[in-house]
Amino acid sequence: MKKIASFTVDHNKLEKGMYISRIDGDVVTYDIRMKNPNKGDYLGNGELHTIEHLLATFARNSEIADNVIYVGPMGCRTGFYLLVRDKVPHKLAIKTVQESFRFIADFEGEIPGSKKEECGNYLEHDLPSAKKTAWDMLKVLENYNEENLKYKE
């Protein structure tokens, strides 16, 4: 079998940030890396779950809402994938992710979709940790531009 593209990225060199993981036809996959791989610091399950609910809610209500295909966590618990149509300029994708993390960092109240009838694991959320990670990512993504979207060799 062919090795999938995400496994060809040297995770020893990968740092927190936002990257273009791949482009398939008219779909752009962004790698939103919140933790440095293989350093022993991973997103906790409740934190990951809360970020998923808030990030997906924000993205699907943002300026790019009609072009969002998928927002979801990486199995390694170091970040998320954001898949959008290529109609979304990279600059706007960066802006949306920055705004998403601002939304998460400032969020108060009931987590969207966190009721028993709305979620398959409604009890496992961790808003304080999600907010802490969002604040950290806001620092990482400050002054981010299209050049930063390339994986470092």
Side-chain angles (χ1 to χ4, degrees):
M1 291 187 195
K2 288 195 266 183
K3 188 181 271 192
I4 63 172
S6 62
F7 295 159
T8 66
V9 175
D10 187 345
H11 285 62
N12 294 314
K13 297 178 183 175
L14 195 53
E15 297 175 354
K16 295 177 188 178
M18 179 176 172
Y19 306 96
I20 296 171
S21 176
R22 56 187 295 146
I23 299 175
D24 299 291
D26 71 336
V27 177
V28 179
T29 300
Y30 291 99
D31 171 341
I32 305 169
R33 195 64 60 156
M34 300 175 204
K35 301 288 184 177
N36 293 321
N38 301 311
K39 302 291 188 214
D41 181 28
Y42 305 100
L43 296 166
N45 288 331
E47 171 187 14
L48 179 97
H49 192 198
T50 300
I51 292 170
E52 176 191 18
H53 279 241
L54 295 173
L55 182 59
T57 296
F58 186 89
R60 293 185 182 282
N61 284 279
S62 72
E63 186 177 347
I64 66 168
D66 291 341
N67 290 297
V68 172
I69 297 167
Y70 175 75
V71 179
M74 296 175 183
C76 62
R77 298 188 355 247
T78 61
F80 276 72
Y81 289 115
L82 169 65
L83 281 71
V84 298
R85 298 268 176 231
D86 66 358
K87 297 174 190 174
V88 177
H90 298 312
K91 187 174 183 176
L92 182 54
I94 293 168
K95 177 180 173 242
T96 302
V97 170
Q98 290 167 327
E99 290 172 350
S100 296
F101 283 113
R102 171 65 60 194
F103 172 73
I104 296 167
D106 292 339
F107 190 83
E108 296 292 335
E110 185 177 311
I111 297 160
S114 66
K115 292 183 177 135
K116 187 175 184 179
E117 61 273 13
E118 299 169 325
C119 178
N121 192 6
Y122 77 104
L123 293 176
E124 191 171 28
H125 282 281
D126 183 351
L127 182 58
S129 293
K131 290 171 70 124
K132 183 178 176 197
T133 294
W135 279 114
D136 180 60
M137 283 303 293
L138 283 169
K139 289 182 245 165
V140 170
L141 296 173
E142 189 175 8
N143 302 315
Y144 226 73
N145 61 52
E146 293 178 51
E147 282 299 307
N148 300 117
L149 293 173
K150 296 177 184 148
Y151 286 120
K152 292 174 180 68
E153 296 292 323

